Amino acid sequence: MTVDDGQPWAEGPLGQPLRKALGTRTANALAKLGLETVGDLVDHVPRRYDEPGRLTDLRSLQIGEHVTVLARVRSATVTRMRSRAGAMLHAVVTDGAGELDLTFFAKGQGGLRHHEHQLAAGRTGLFTGTVSVYRGRRQLTHPQYQVFGADTGVDEAEAALEDASRPIPIYPAGASVPSWQIHKAVQTVLGPLREDDVPDPLPLTLRERRHLSTRLEALRDVHLPAADEDWRRGRRRLRFEEAFVLQTALAQRRAAVAREPATARPLRAPGTPSLLADFDAALPFDLTAGQRAVGEQLAHDLAADRPMQRLLQGEVGSGKTVVALRAMLQVVDAGGQAALLAPTEVLAAQHARSLRSLLGPLAEGGLLGGAEHGTRVALLTGSLGAAARKQALLDAASGSAGIVVGTHALLGEHVQFADLGLVVVDEQHRFGVEQRDALRAKGDRQAHVLVMTATPIPRTVAMTVFGDLETSTLTEVPAGRSGVVTHVVPASNPTWVARTWQRVREEVDASHRAYVVAPRIHPDDAPAGGRADAASALVETDDVLEFLVEPEDGGERAPLRAVLEVVEELRGTPALAGVPVGVLHGQLPPADKERAMADFASGRTPVLVSTTVVEVGVDVAEATVMVVLDADRFGISQLHQLRGRVGRGSAPGLCLLVSDAEPGTPARERLDALASTSDGFELARRDLELRREGDVLGAAQSGRASSLRLLRVLTDAELIADARTEATAVVGQDPDLLTYPALAAAIAERLDPEREEFLERA
Ligand code: ADP
Ligand code: MG
């Protein structure tokens, strides 16, 4: 190992700069792909594999076939073309029995000099390309080729021949380096590597038990496969490694938090006055069996002196909020405080409102007429007036507010709690691990943490994205719900559209309410949930949700419907004559948002036109209709959430997806899928299949390890589960990975940069 250039020896050959291994020119080209070291290059795994050209003799060539032929050059001539500028090289090759033409074009004769030199008459070589026909003769245009020199031995030629029958790796390439050149470079650096040079994050025993190859073997398999089964085996082994490294990091995180002391917040003894008991007594419904079971699990977790770290996921409308509230009350009963973090101001305000109303006099602790063991609910959002903000901060810091509800404003440094015992993160998908940490760290001891997901997610996604949490699931929705019927409405059919507003009218006449959702606010705006906005989802903006879906056909489409335009239209629609129509979107001042929601809930404006701000968690029992305009521009999960806003009371819900997507297109298939099932887990699975996975993970976990390289959370479900089992065992036995240096190094190397990047953005 050389140390002359100051490279630490410990990095070994993988740390060697490509400049040294391949020369400056190639290294510079590869640097444009972000590849600096030998290690970077060998980790640059082929995207896919082309089938090798079929070795064949020249007489049996089929037009259109992709072939590789072994032949000798009979002649090669360069001619200037008469018809257009440029030059052409025309070569004839033969295998003794048949003949084949090769043609190359270039701007000038200079551009052909290299080929002319290579294809000297008499030389033998391998030529790969697709057979075409010109003037009755078979030819390959711009074939790839490799010619052997006069001194090429028989062995070498045979090796080349064998090479030509291998799968051809196709690399993620750029303009500066074509795929074949990357392949050559990988071959050069991979050749001299020995087992000791390539640290393997997979422990030896694990590898043996699972019959997995070494990392070096896997790299050879994916870069230099002799047959398809080689690269398949190699890729599988690298995927397992990726899952294992990620799961080990998550297991370490779980273990580290579990080692921290937390304050136990046990249930009050039966018979003693308690907020929780009073709350339960006042609940207007019975808890479902699932709610009770999860409730017991949470009560048990909270009574322990190590921090709870739990993910609660469940079908839309399964009643997650009540479960969370009961956990919060248990903590307040035990003398602590609870914080409830909501993704939007609308939702935070709604939570505060419903908490206060459910608690009644119990929420007037310390006030005249308030219950003696009562507490207070404080609301803290970014846009509070100075006085209200000061009061909320004071209530949190003094402990007089047992429950503090807020948006991410709660994460601010100046927000202090007297004794924070539980953090509940509602509708998790917009809060990342780091934000959870920020809240957790608000006390001098670890707070218990409960995270709730907005949408059901497949188990392995939960395992990957929220792998540091234990999971509880609510599968049933409370009895007595009549469910939601979903229809797709063709936007181009005036009769259907008129019928839509007629249905809205009928519901309003029956004292029900209707939501109308459009993808953007102003007619001349970009979509409210556009990609650019998504990156700033951590900034408080109520409209930003998941990405809007790009239209697949890329063709011209009618402009997207806008909230402000739709309001005007509805106010002039005969079917809705006399019906007050409200407006809600993220750009409204907070007081207006509050009023819009309150007026809708009370029925003063029974129709509400809004952006997706109503997507998560908004709860108005009388709402029965959800009309989504340009529905094909929303993701499946998002539409499922929107639909979950209706049919929450005893009256059946109706969801109308208005779209001009043609039947049979992927966009329309998404909508048909929604109309055909109400199983959120099933829909989440289809959603993942249809979207680019990176987007899903990226959005869901706010940057953490979002760039899964080879792993696919859906198709690799079993592998991820296995990796998690193995990782948990390894961490249980050696939490700091002292005996697994290669694994520790892989975690530091692969996962940390993304974390840092996230922190910079936040
Ligand atoms: P989500 O799981 O989607 O967050 P919510 O917690 O918002 O669901 O609950 C949806 C609605 O169902 C709320 O109005 C809530 O009060 C009501 N609810 C919750 N649990 C029950 C139950 N066991 N029986 C009847 N209604 C319930
Ligand atoms: Mg909810």
Side-chain angles (χ1 to χ4, degrees), residues 664-688:
T665 59
R668 177 59 186 264
E669 275 171 21
R670 262 200 314 273
L671 302 183
D672 291 340
L674 263 143
S676 70
T677 178
S678 56
D679 179 342
F681 286 93
E682 172 59 23
L683 287 170
R685 207 161 24 244
R686 290 203 206 172
D687 200 13
L688 264 183

Side-chain angles (χ1 to χ4, degrees), residues 624-683:
T624 50
V625 191
M626 169 63 66
V627 180
V628 186
L629 302 174
D630 286 316
D632 54 292
R633 300 298 296 273
F634 299 93
I636 287 184
S637 297
Q638 204 173 7
L639 290 169
H640 184 58
Q641 271 291 319
L642 283 170
R643 158 168 84 176
R645 300 305 111 215
V646 297
R648 307 197 127 220
S650 53
L654 175 66
C655 175
L656 298 173
L657 304 172
V658 182
S659 160
D660 56 7
E662 299 290 336
T665 59
R668 177 59 186 264
E669 275 171 21
R670 262 200 314 273
L671 302 183
D672 291 340
L674 263 143
S676 70
T677 178
S678 56
D679 179 342
F681 286 93
E682 172 59 23
L683 287 170

Side-chain angles (χ1 to χ4, degrees), residues 477-745:
V477 295
R481 298 261 176 88
S482 320
V484 183
V485 174
T486 304
H487 294 294
V488 182
V489 177
S492 55
N493 185 327
T495 318
W496 278 72
V497 174
R499 178 74 190 122
T500 299
W501 303 130
Q502 188 56 45
R503 282 294 289 118
V504 168
R505 176 64 192 235
E506 288 162 22
E507 292 300 316
V508 169
D509 286 346
S511 302
H512 296 148
R513 321 253 193 284
Y515 296 99
V516 179
V517 170
R520 36 174 210 164
I521 301 173
H522 298 283
D524 34 42
D525 266 358
R531 182 169 291 268
D533 288 350
S536 59
L538 301 173
V539 180
E540 192 166 77
T541 127
D542 279 3
D543 297 312
V544 177
L545 291 151
E546 292 161 74
F547 311 121
L548 284 188
V549 179
E550 291 297 322
E552 279 89 356
D553 54 14
E556 280 296 303
R557 299 275 301 265
L560 292 179
R561 304 307 310 277
V563 168
L564 297 180
E565 161 196 83
V566 173
V567 180
E568 290 314 314
E569 189 184 310
L570 293 190
R571 286 178 178 156
T573 297
L576 294 176
V579 176
V581 180
V583 190
L584 178 63
H585 57 76
Q587 289 175 8
L588 290 176
D592 292 7
K593 283 188 218 166
E594 280 252 19
R595 186 161 345 103
M597 270 322 292
D599 285 350
F600 181 65
S602 72
R604 277 190 53 180
T605 52
V607 175
L608 183 66
V609 182
S610 78
T611 53
T612 51
V613 62
V614 297
E615 178 197 354
V616 273
V618 168
D619 189 22
V620 175
E622 293 82 3
T624 50
V625 191
M626 169 63 66
V627 180
V628 186
L629 302 174
D630 286 316
D632 54 292
R633 300 298 296 273
F634 299 93
I636 287 184
S637 297
Q638 204 173 7
L639 290 169
H640 184 58
Q641 271 291 319
L642 283 170
R643 158 168 84 176
R645 300 305 111 215
V646 297
R648 307 197 127 220
S650 53
L654 175 66
C655 175
L656 298 173
L657 304 172
V658 182
S659 160
D660 56 7
E662 299 290 336
T665 59
R668 177 59 186 264
E669 275 171 21
R670 262 200 314 273
L671 302 183
D672 291 340
L674 263 143
S676 70
T677 178
S678 56
D679 179 342
F681 286 93
E682 172 59 23
L683 287 170
R685 207 161 24 244
R686 290 203 206 172
D687 200 13
L688 264 183
E689 274 164 16
L690 289 169
R691 300 213 262 152
R692 278 198 26 246
E693 200 146 1
D695 288 352
V696 177
L697 290 178
Q701 60 193 14
S702 307
R704 179 177 54 125
S706 58
S707 56
L708 293 184
R709 289 165 62 95
L710 297 170
L711 209 55
R712 294 294 166 260
V713 281
L714 278 186
T715 46
D716 293 327
E718 205 175 312
L719 184 147
I720 292 173
D722 286 351
R724 182 179 171 95
T725 309
E726 297 284 3
T728 308
V730 164
V731 170
Q733 169 240 327
D734 180 359
D736 297 320
L737 304 179
L738 296 176
T739 50
Y740 302 99
L743 179 55

Side-chain angles (χ1 to χ4, degrees), residues 10 15 41 54 114 149 427 442 570 604 712 754:
L41 181 57
R54 204 164 62 76
H114 169 74
E427 314 296 10
K442 286 235 172 253
L570 293 190
R604 277 190 53 180
R712 294 294 166 260
E754 279 147 19

Side-chain angles (χ1 to χ4, degrees), residues 283-289 291 314-323 350-351 358 426-427 452-454 474 477-479 481 617-621 641 644-645 648-649:
L283 254 190
F285 45 73
D286 292 330
L287 296 176
T288 64
Q291 283 172 320
E315 185 56 86
V316 175
S318 58
K320 295 183 286 288
T321 314
V322 174
V323 172
Q350 174 187 290
H351 279 320
L358 277 169
D426 191 15
E427 314 296 10
M452 299 194 283
T453 55
L474 285 177
V477 295
R481 298 261 176 88
V618 168
D619 189 22
V620 175
Q641 271 291 319
R645 300 305 111 215
R648 307 197 127 220

